[in-house]
Structure formats: structure tokens, C-alpha cells
């Protein structure tokens, strides 16, 4: 597999995973949870490193995942118990945890090979360099490809198996509670999936691109349809096409691949905002003029 294809495939798999979960976050008005988790997991990564003495991906993933879940718990706790607005709860939680992570790195920076850049800003251009090689010397391809593929399969199974419960707790929590579905349980289950996806994608594409992929394709799809299943499909398609076009834009400009993919996500959203037949500004003005 050549380098171009491995980068595009990895970006597309991560895009699809993020788009599926991002659609639920958009409709639950919790779009910035991904951003919160991407910053708040920093102390978890540092603690995992200090306890294990290893920068092994699995160790980092476990540490970040635990703090990611703790982040979602704190956001919900501040929202319900302290009666803060959701955006205020998210802002307080992630800035506080991120600050703790930065302080921990500054204290232990002389003893460990760890800094904000290496844990937060992955570089998708390096995906072809980190390959899996068997004991027999066989190159199985980029590790990020297997990780992102596994995460996508897990997310697909999660949504397919529990679609009804996720759908009801997203659109009508009161009705879901009335028929015995625990909204709290499915809230944390969804946040757990978001946490796992965000953290697992860090090393491959970086935290900033993960946030863009969680929000932008889902927001684009939201403008294009009122059907939720169609929205999920459009969000995955938008994420994949932005990955492909963003990669070739970066090659053409000789610039950042992650930045170009995020820029293409923004362009797609802008086009949907203007030309969407359902909620686009252009067609709404035409309909208003016709009446």
C-alpha cells in the first residue's frame, strides 16, 4: 500500500467514526464535548506514563480513556448538580483538567520525554511510518489503519445494536424514561464511545483534526436532511470526501494535511449552509419570495 492511500484511508476511517458519533452530539447540543475530551485527557496521559514508564499506545489509551470518562461525568455533574449551562460546564471542566495536565508536564518535563505537542498534536503525514511488522519480518501496513478500522467497526456495532435506545434518548428523553430506558446510562455509553474514539484517533490525526471531524461533517449533514438515518450516511460521506479532497489540496499547496482536511470540512459546511434544499439560505429566500 502506498503512502497516499494509507493516509487517505486512515483519515476516511477516522472521519466516518467521528461523523457517526458527532451526529448524536449535534442533536444533543453537546458538540463541544469532543473538544473538551481532547484537551482534558492530558493529565490521564501523563499519569499513565508516570505509572508505567512507557509511551506504549495502549497504556496512553487507557489513561486518556479513564480521564475522558471522568470528563463527561464532571460535565454532567456540574450541569445537573451545580445548575450550570452545558457550555459553561464543558468550559470549566476541560480548562481545569487541561491546566492540571500542563502543570504536571512542566513539573515532570525534566524526567520524562513527554510534552504537549507529542500527546495532543498527532501528525497524519507520519501514518505510513508507524507500521506493524511480524516476527517473521512481514510488513502488515500502518498501525493507525488497524486502530481506526477497529474503532469504526466498534462504533458501527454500537449504533446498530442500540439504535432505538440511542435514538429515543436523543430525541425524546422524557418518553424514553417513561418506557423504562435509562437516559443516564445511554448518555454515559455514548460519551464513552466519544471518549474512546477521540483518544484512539489522537496519535493518528491529532486532537485538533478529531474535533473538526466530530463536528463539521455532522453539522453539514444536519443542514441537508431531516431524516436521522440519512443524516448519519451523509455525515460519513462528507467526512470521507473532505479527507480525500483535503489530502490532495495539501499536496497541491505543499501544506498541512490536517489543516487542509479541516478546511475542506469548513467549505462543505459553508456550501450546505447556502445551498441546502432543506435549510439552505438560498432556497429559503426563494421559497419566501414565492409566497
Amino acid at each position: 500500500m502506498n503512502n497516499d492511500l494509507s493516509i487517505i484511508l486512515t483519515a476516511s476511517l477516522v472521519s466516518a467514526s467521528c461523523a457517526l458519533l458527532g451526529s448524536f452530539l449535534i442533536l444533543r447540543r453537546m458538540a463541544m464535548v469532543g473538544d473538551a475530551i481532547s484537551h482534558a485527557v492530558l493529565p490521564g496521559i501523563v499519569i499513565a506514563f508516570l505509572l508505567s514508564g512507557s509511551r506504549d499506545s495502549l497504556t496512553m489509551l487507557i489513561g486518556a480513556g479513564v480521564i475522558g470518562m471522568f470528563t463527561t461525568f464532571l460535565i454532567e455533574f456540574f450541569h445537573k448538580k451545580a445548575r450550570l449551562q452545558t457550555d459553561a460546564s464543558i468550559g470549566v471542566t476541560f480548562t481545569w483538567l487541561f491546566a492540571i495536565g500542563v502543570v504536571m508536564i512542566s513539573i515532570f518535563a525534566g524526567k520524562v520525554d513527554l510534552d504537549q505537542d507529542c500527546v495532543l498534536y498527532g501528525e497524519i503525514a507520519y501514518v505510513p511510518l508507524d507500521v506493524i511488522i511480524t516476527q517473521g519480518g512481514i510488513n502488515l501496513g500502518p498501525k493507525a489503519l488497524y486502530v481506526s478500522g477497529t474503532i469504526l467497526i466498534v462504533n458501527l456495532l454500537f449504533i446498530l445494536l442500540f439504535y432505538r435506545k440511542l435514538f429515543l434518548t436523543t430525541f425524546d428523553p422524557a418518553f424514553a424514561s417513561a418506557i423504562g430506558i435509562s437516559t443516564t446510562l445511554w448518555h454515559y455509553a455514548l460519551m464513552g464511545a466519544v471518549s474512546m474514539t477521540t483518544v484512539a484517533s489522537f496519535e493518528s490525526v491529532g486532537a485538533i483534526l478529531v474535533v473538526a471531524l466530530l463536528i463539521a461533517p455532522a453539522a453539514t449533514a444536519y443542514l441537508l436532511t431531516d431524516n436521522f438515518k440519512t443524516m448519519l450516511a451523509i455525515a460519513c460521506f462528507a467526512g470521507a470526501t473532505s479527507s480525500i479532497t483535503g489530502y490532495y489540496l495539501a499536496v497541491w499547496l505543499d501544506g498541512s494535511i490536517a489543516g487542509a482536511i479541516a478546511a475542506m470540512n469548513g467549505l462543505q459546511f459553508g456550501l450546505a449552509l447556502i445551498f441546502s434544499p432543506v435549510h439552505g439560505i438560498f432556497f429559503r429566500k426563494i421559497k419566501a419570495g414565492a409566497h
Side-chain angles (χ1 to χ4, degrees):
M1 181 182 295
N2 64 43
N3 293 345
D4 295 349
L5 186 58
S6 59
I7 292 173
I8 290 172
L9 274 178
T10 301
S12 299
L13 291 171
V14 173
S15 297
S17 293
C18 291
L20 289 171
L21 300 178
S23 298
F24 287 97
L25 294 180
I26 290 281
L27 293 168
R28 287 173 177 245
R29 300 181 180 181
M30 300 189 72
M32 295 311 294
V33 165
D35 186 35
I37 291 173
S38 69
H39 288 80
V41 296
L42 187 58
I45 293 173
V46 179
I47 292 170
F49 181 86
L50 292 174
L51 291 177
S52 67
S54 167
R55 285 180 57 181
D56 176 69
S57 296
L58 181 60
T59 306
M60 297 289 185
L61 185 65
I62 294 172
V66 170
I67 294 296
M69 286 300 298
F70 182 59
T71 302
T72 61
F73 169 78
L74 280 183
I75 291 171
E76 193 69 6
F77 179 81
F78 290 145
H79 176 57
K80 290 190 173 177
K81 301 299 180 183
R83 298 185 182 279
L84 285 176
Q85 297 295 324
T86 302
D87 56 348
S89 303
I90 291 172
V92 168
T93 304
F94 94 78
T95 51
W96 174 59
L97 290 173
F98 183 67
I100 291 175
V102 171
V103 171
M104 292 179 72
I105 285 181
S106 66
I107 293 173
F108 298 107
K111 301 176 183 177
V112 300
D113 180 23
L114 201 65
D115 56 56
Q116 291 97 322
D117 288 344
C118 74
V119 297
L120 274 183
Y121 306 115
E123 175 54 67
I124 195 169
Y126 298 152
V127 162
L129 303 179
D130 188 10
V131 296
I132 299 174
I133 299 177
T134 65
Q135 291 185 341
I138 300 173
N139 185 343
L140 297 178
K143 184 176 72 176
L145 204 54
Y146 291 94
V147 173
S148 53
T150 302
I151 294 298
L152 177 59
I153 291 171
V154 170
N155 284 342
L156 279 171
L157 288 175
F158 174 63
I159 292 173
L160 288 172
L161 292 175
F162 306 111
Y163 179 80
R164 180 172 172 271
K165 294 182 173 66
L166 290 168
F167 181 87
L168 286 176
T169 54
T170 297
F171 285 92
D172 196 342
F175 177 70
S177 297
I179 61 174
I181 297 174
S182 171
T183 54
T184 302
L185 171 66
W186 290 103
H187 169 78
Y188 284 114
L190 180 63
M191 293 303 115
V194 172
S195 180
M196 176 193 69
T197 303
T198 306
V199 172
S201 304
F202 278 174
E203 193 177 9
S204 305
V205 302
I208 306 302
L209 185 55
V210 169
V211 175
L213 295 175
L214 267 175
I215 301 171
T220 302
Y222 178 77
L223 292 173
L224 293 173
T225 181
D226 289 330
N227 182 292
F228 185 59
K229 289 184 179 178
T230 307
M231 178 180 169
L232 291 174
I234 293 176
C236 291
F237 179 76
T241 52
S242 66
S243 299
I244 297 169
T245 54
Y247 175 76
Y248 285 107
L249 176 65
V251 171
W252 181 54
L253 296 173
D254 192 21
S256 164
I257 298 172
I261 292 174
M264 292 307 298
N265 276 313
L267 177 63
Q268 286 180 335
F269 176 78
L271 291 173
L273 179 67
I274 297 172
F275 298 111
S276 166
V278 182
H279 299 293
I281 295 172
F282 181 71
F283 284 99
R284 274 193 298 172
K285 285 190 176 296
I286 290 179
K287 290 175 184 175
H291 289 87

